[in-house]
Amino acid sequence: MTALLDGIYDGEMTVGELLGHGNFGIGTFDALDREMIVLDGVCYQVRGDGSAQRATLDQRSPFTVMTNFVPHITGTPPPGLRRTELASFIDELQPSENYMYAVRITGTFSEVTVRTVTKQSRPYRPMVEATGDDTELRFRDVTGVIGGFRTPVYEKGIGVPGCHVHFLDSRRETGGHVLDFTLASGVVELCPGTDLSLGLPLTTDFSRAMLAPEDLDHQIHTTEIKQ
């Protein structure tokens, strides 16, 4: 994640290779070309206008988190919870904060606010600048899936600490990177992860990247939450 923040946007691993590592995940595409969400073994690319399409197997990604999703923990939250309130509900569901959890929230949402990154051109800007002009979209009274990962603080820099999630509607037609939402009704499923396989690119850009910036927390918060 810190490499992405530093503008390392060229992907080495293809969608086809990524699907060999799991059936569920989120990420982005080569040159920061829109948002990625993988559900039930199908990879989707969400455009800047919020519309979604199936990605091709030869498309590449500079950052993706994948797993084989098996729901070991399930809970039904009270209706009408917003993102921060649902985060507290999930905190109570998870047995420990020391594991990464894949999270899938399926249901009806009163509102989902998303944004999508736009394709960049060299020389690449840092991600804080590249996401500064993203358009926010708001979906109301929509059914679908919010999927992603809850990453422990000690993995900060590898992933996004806290909850990093993307949205895709039930028709698989619209979605984006989630900024906020209100869950009218639905189910939360968690899949804990105990094995971490990390693949790093063998590129000159990556070898020269700044992977430990002093303002890491600020950069992550600015690019992921935009508040």
Side-chain angles (χ1 to χ4, degrees):
M1 183 61 198
T2 48
L4 203 66
L5 291 172
D6 200 44
I8 310 302
Y9 303 148
D10 290 332
E12 284 198 329
M13 190 170 286
T14 66
V15 168
E17 291 172 313
L18 290 168
L19 292 176
H21 291 276
N23 62 4
F24 178 93
I26 59 173
T28 188
F29 292 89
D30 196 31
L32 216 62
D33 189 13
R34 307 163 188 173
E35 307 289 345
M36 176 194 296
I37 182 168
V38 179
L39 295 176
D40 301 320
V42 180
C43 181
Y44 298 90
Q45 183 178 27
V46 183
R47 304 180 181 94
D49 63 357
S51 62
Q53 64 181 10
R54 284 197 181 198
T56 61
L57 296 179
D58 61 349
Q59 287 181 261
R60 295 180 178 273
S61 171
F63 174 81
T64 305
V65 184
M66 295 286 296
T67 192
N68 280 308
F69 192 93
V70 179
H72 291 286
I73 303 168
T74 303
T76 302
L81 296 187
R82 293 193 64 181
R83 177 174 181 161
T84 54
E85 297 166 328
L86 190 61
S88 298
F89 176 84
I90 295 175
D91 285 342
E92 297 178 0
L93 278 183
Q94 62 185 28
S96 171
E97 295 182 354
N98 294 335
Y99 301 102
M100 177 182 282
Y101 295 87
V103 181
R104 185 168 62 193
I105 306 165
T106 306
T108 300
F109 300 87
S110 303
E111 186 176 285
V112 183
T113 303
V114 303
R115 58 90 165 152
T116 58
V117 293
T118 55
K119 187 174 182 178
Q120 301 294 300
S121 300
R122 283 184 172 275
Y124 295 137
R125 298 177 293 169
M127 196 174 179
V128 170
E129 298 178 20
T131 59
D133 53 0
D134 292 346
T135 300
E136 292 186 14
L137 301 172
R138 187 170 287 107
F139 306 113
R140 292 185 171 87
D141 300 321
V142 60
T143 59
V145 176
I146 287 178
F149 294 86
R150 286 173 67 88
T151 302
V153 174
Y154 67 82
E155 291 185 30
K156 177 171 57 177
I158 295 175
V160 178
C163 202
H164 178 198
V165 288
H166 291 178
F167 171 71
L168 195 65
D169 77 328
S170 57
R171 295 183 178 182
R172 307 300 192 248
E173 293 177 350
T174 57
H177 172 98
V178 176
L179 299 176
D180 201 0
F181 63 85
T182 301
L183 178 65
S185 62
V187 174
V188 175
E189 299 170 304
L190 303 181
C191 174
T194 57
D195 296 308
L196 176 64
S197 176
L198 178 63
L200 302 176
L202 295 173
T203 63
T204 300
D205 286 344
F206 181 83
S207 68
R208 296 175 177 173
M210 174 60 70
L211 301 184
E214 293 183 358
D215 62 342
L216 176 58
D217 290 342
H218 172 73
Q219 289 191 48
I220 290 177
H221 186 81
T222 299
T223 58
E224 299 304 315
I225 306 299
K226 297 190 72 174
Q227 292 179 347

